[in-house]
Structures are given as structure tokens and as C-alpha cells.
Amino acid sequence: MKNVLRRINTPSRVVVAAFLVVVVVGSTLLSLPVAVEAGQRASWTSALFTATSAVCVTGLAVQDTATHWTLFGELVILALMQIGGFGIMTLASILALVVSGKLGLRARLNAQAETRTLGPGEVRRLIAGVAKVTLAAEALTTAVLAARFFLGYGEPPGRALYQGLFHAVSSFTNAGFALWPDSMMRFVHDPWICLPLVVSVVVGGLGFPVYTALRRGPFHPGRWSLHARVTVGMTAVLLFGGTLAVLLTEWDNPGTFGPLPPGQRIMAALFHSAMTRSGGMNSVDVSQMHENTWLISDVLMFVGAGSASTGGGIKVTTFALLGYVILAELRGEPDVTVGRRRLPEQLQRQALTIALLSVASVVAGTFVLMMLTPFKLDQVLFEVVSAFGTVGLSTGITGDVGTAGHLALTVLMFVGRLGPATLGAALALHVQTRRFRYPEEGPLVG
């Protein structure tokens, strides 16, 4: 019995259990009659799906957030997004520091598994930085959005502040929930709404370890850690590369960019590229996009954001490391090097394991949803990748996949939020030594 408890109490499993508990509590609150508008049904499946989507900072929704949920329901969703964005163990550590000013070893190990820090000694400094960066970024975004809603759209001060806060939290945590049925489509022309949301999503998706590295010299990349350089570099490449690709494929599409002036088309392409990184909001109708744009979005959603960030996906560092492995193999080099640093073989195997298991999860989810729904492969694949990457974009089929489909997507969101991060932490912490080696032999490759 002690062995069983010891295994359950490992840091990675504690993180999973904590998220599961919060999902159950959130589902219970959202299933209460007080959480839904009069005349609406408080379905447990809908509550479970929405709570999982909020805690896993995904943004997929089976019900319109603004019209289905009451203010109480919206506040529950807001709280779940914030908890999911902080991370359960990180939030618990912050509260412990505030109350007692210290962290025990178990708390540091649990937070280490969630935040992907290199050692327990770094946890205290990191979680303090998490709190400062999160509160500062959300406060600044709230102020800009609230001012715009008040001055530009005539919203009452209290309503403007609430809308600003809700979307600031939703964007920084990469949750993707919005208080309008069309997400942010009504603001496609407004840079004072779209651009702050883009910045908030990108900043939230960099990852908290990057902020620590940037403090050493924001404008001196040579002082950054290797992780920070790779994350920032790949984020820029994918953000602007995705913008260009989406701009080329959607430029003349009458259902999306076609009616917009050139400047607004560029802004809409930037907005979509940023949101595929795990942001989840949309300023144009995703269901009207070309199928090749969906494919581009699938790739961006699968890669996702930075490690130990509020975003999902396999993470940009995993994607970049695999690219460096391929490049080294093509060059015939014995070592994989990045920025005059040699990558450990263990790290290469971790990246490969996470990527292949993520591919398997997407394939399995696509197969299941194809069996359960009548939709086309490209629509189903988009939905599955969006759920697994905790993105929240949809081609419009989320509400029509049925109860079994909703449960399948719920599992994908949970696995996508915790799977790659928890697996990465577990692999990093689970290193075994062997006192012997077998004779070398291998099959043909290719």
C-alpha cells in the first residue's frame, strides 16, 4: 500500500491529480442553476466540457459564453482560466509564500514538475516572477482594453472594466474565451483591441523561464540562456512566418480577408497567426477559411507556445530541437549543437518521445471523432489539433459533435494541457543508470 501511495504522490502525478480536482469542482459549480441564464439547461456534459476547456486554457465551447452563462458562470470560467494559466502547483506555491514566506521540499518538487524549472532551488525565484509578470501583463492589458471599450464603444465604466479584465485574463493565459458570440470578429478593424490581445497572447506563450533569462539583459541575447534564445527565435519565426502564409492563402477570400483593406488584412493575418499559437480567439470566420489555411493552422497549433508557458502544443523548443537533430544528421555531424552548445542525447530522446506520442494522440483522437461524427477529415483534424494544442479555434463543429464527441474532446484537452509538460518533467526526473551495455546492432533505416 505504501508503494502505491508513493507512486501516486510523485510530483508529475500530483500535478495531474490537482488539475483533475479543479476540473471536477469547476464542473460542479457550472452545473448549478445559478450558473446558467433563465431558460437554459445546466447540462453536466456541457459544464464538464467548459470547465476542462477553461482550466486547460483551451477556449473551445459548446455554449455561447455570453448568452448561456450568468455573471456567476462567467466569473467561474474567469477563475478557472486564471488558475489554469498560473498552474495549480504554482498558484499553491504563491499562496504558501504569501501566507508563510517559505516552501517545503514537496511543494518545491511539485512546482518544479509543473513549471519545468531545472532544479528545486530555482522554484522560489521563478514563482515570484510568475506572479509579478502575470499580474503586470494582465493589469496593463485590462487598462488598454477597458479604456477602448469605454471611450470607443460607449460601454459603461463597470462593464468596460469587466470586459477588459475578462479578455486580458483570457488572452494572457491563452484560454481563448470571449464574451461575444463571434469571438473578436466585430473588432477585426480595431487595432486598439486586436493588437493588445496579440501582444498578451505572445507574452503569455513565451514561458516564465524566458522572463527570468530576459532580466539579465532584454536587448542582449548573448546573455540569455539557450532555452530563451531558442524560444524567442522560434516564436518570432512561427509568428511572422504564419502571418505571411495565412496572408497569402486568404488575401482574396471573400469570406475572410477579401472585404478588408490591405492594412486590416495584415492585422487579421497577424491576429490569426498569434491565436493559433494557443490564443484561441478569432477576428474572422475560421469556418470560411480555405482548407490549405486550416492545414497551416494545424501545424502552428500542434507546435504551440513555449515550455512552462500558458500555451499548449508540443512546444517550440521541442520542435526546434528536432529540427537541429535532423540538421545534424543531414550534415553527418556526431553531435547536435545549438549556439555553440552540445545537446545531451537524453534531451533529444525526450523531444522525440513527446513529439511522437503527441502525433499518436492526435491520430487517435481524429480516428475516434471521425467514427462519432459525419464531418470531413480536415474539419475533424482541425478540431482535434485545436483541442490537443489547447488552442480553442474551431471550424464551427464543436457544438455538433454530440455527447460522445464532447467527451472525446474533453479528454484531448486534458491530455494536451498536461500530457507533454508532465511527460517532459517525468522523463527529466526519471533517469536510470545501467551497469552494463548490450552488443551494438541495428536494423536498416529508410
Side-chain angles (χ1 to χ4, degrees):
M1 185 65 180
K2 289 183 178 180
N3 291 334
V4 173
L5 292 175
R6 190 178 296 113
R7 291 188 177 187
I8 294 176
N9 207 26
T10 58
S12 299
R13 289 170 182 156
V14 168
V15 172
V16 173
F19 267 84
L20 187 59
V21 169
V22 174
V23 166
V24 172
V25 173
S27 303
T28 303
L29 293 175
L30 290 176
S31 64
L32 298 175
V34 70
V36 295
E37 295 285 359
Q40 300 286 352
R41 178 169 170 264
S43 164
W44 171 256
T45 303
S46 174
L48 174 64
F49 187 96
T50 305
T52 304
S53 184
V55 174
C56 297
V57 289
T58 304
L60 287 175
V62 295
Q63 306 287 353
D64 176 49
T65 304
T67 60
H68 181 77
W69 306 106
T70 61
L71 177 60
F72 174 81
E74 291 176 5
L75 291 176
V76 170
I77 293 172
L78 178 63
L80 293 176
M81 289 190 299
Q82 189 70 85
I83 292 171
F86 262 124
I88 311 298
M89 294 298 104
T90 306
L91 184 59
S93 299
I94 292 172
L95 294 176
L97 284 176
V98 171
V99 173
S100 65
K102 60 183 179 180
L103 283 177
L105 177 60
R106 187 181 300 278
R108 292 200 302 270
L109 290 174
N110 291 337
Q112 177 194 357
E114 184 176 68
T115 59
R116 301 300 311 280
T117 48
L118 298 178
E122 299 180 358
V123 170
R124 183 188 178 98
R125 184 178 71 251
L126 180 64
I127 61 177
V130 168
K132 293 176 183 177
V133 170
T134 300
L135 296 178
E138 290 179 353
L140 180 60
T141 307
T142 297
V144 174
L145 294 178
R148 184 58 177 167
F149 290 137
F150 174 64
L151 299 174
Y153 296 93
E155 294 284 356
R159 180 65 181 172
L161 181 61
Y162 173 66
Q163 290 175 336
L165 174 63
F166 188 96
H167 294 96
V169 173
S170 182
S171 59
F172 184 78
T173 61
N174 281 228
F177 282 90
L179 292 177
W180 294 278
D182 60 357
S183 189
M184 311 306 291
M185 288 174 57
R186 64 189 63 194
F187 304 112
V188 65
H189 63 281
D190 192 341
W192 289 101
I193 298 294
C194 292
L195 295 183
L197 291 175
V198 167
V199 172
S200 182
V201 165
V202 172
V203 171
L206 286 176
F208 298 114
V210 173
Y211 309 144
T212 302
L214 294 181
R215 290 178 59 187
R216 302 170 187 168
F219 305 105
H220 298 86
R223 300 178 184 176
W224 301 353
S225 64
L226 177 61
H227 170 78
R229 294 199 300 271
V230 171
T231 301
V232 173
M234 283 303 302
T235 295
V237 168
L238 293 174
L239 177 64
F240 295 112
T243 300
L244 179 61
V246 172
L247 197 62
L248 292 175
T249 56
E250 294 295 318
W251 183 266
D252 294 323
N253 187 344
T256 56
F257 293 0
L260 302 174
Q264 291 182 17
R265 296 184 194 186
I266 295 174
M267 184 170 66
L270 175 65
F271 190 90
H272 183 75
S273 179
M275 294 303 160
T276 57
R277 307 299 312 292
S278 201
M281 299 177 186
N282 59 284
S283 62
V284 296
D285 191 350
V286 176
S287 68
Q288 297 300 312
M289 286 182 163
H290 294 308
E291 293 178 357
N292 51 357
T293 309
W294 287 350
L295 181 59
I296 293 169
S297 302
D298 289 340
V299 174
L300 294 173
M301 290 189 297
F302 184 75
V303 174
S307 297
S309 74
T310 58
I314 65 171
K315 310 303 184 185
V316 293
T317 45
T318 304
F319 181 73
L321 291 187
L322 292 176
Y324 283 115
V325 170
I326 293 172
L327 185 62
E329 189 63 26
L330 292 177
R331 290 176 173 176
E333 297 177 353
D335 296 322
V336 180
T337 57
V338 182
R340 298 184 179 181
R341 294 292 186 272
R342 179 168 51 86
L343 296 182
E345 291 185 4
Q346 179 191 352
L347 198 62
Q348 300 171 40
R349 293 196 301 269
Q350 289 175 20
L352 182 62
T353 301
I354 291 172
L356 289 182
L357 288 179
S358 298
V359 169
S361 298
V362 169
V363 171
T366 303
F367 177 80
V368 170
L369 220 59
M370 286 290 291
M371 295 287 291
L372 297 174
T373 67
F375 299 108
K376 298 186 299 181
L377 174 61
D378 48 8
Q379 291 176 297
V380 171
L381 179 62
F382 190 100
E383 199 80 6
V384 168
V385 175
S386 180
F388 179 81
T390 68
V391 179
L393 293 173
S394 174
T395 60
I397 68 172
T398 308
D400 301 319
V401 298
T403 300
H406 291 151
L407 293 176
L409 290 175
T410 299
V411 173
L412 278 170
M413 289 188 289
F414 194 82
V415 171
R417 175 67 175 93
L418 292 173
T422 304
L423 178 61
L427 291 174
L429 295 173
H430 185 68
V431 179
Q432 294 184 344
T433 58
R434 178 176 288 175
R435 299 182 182 276
F436 63 92
R437 301 180 72 183
Y438 290 107
E440 186 176 282
E441 183 180 1
L444 296 176
V445 176

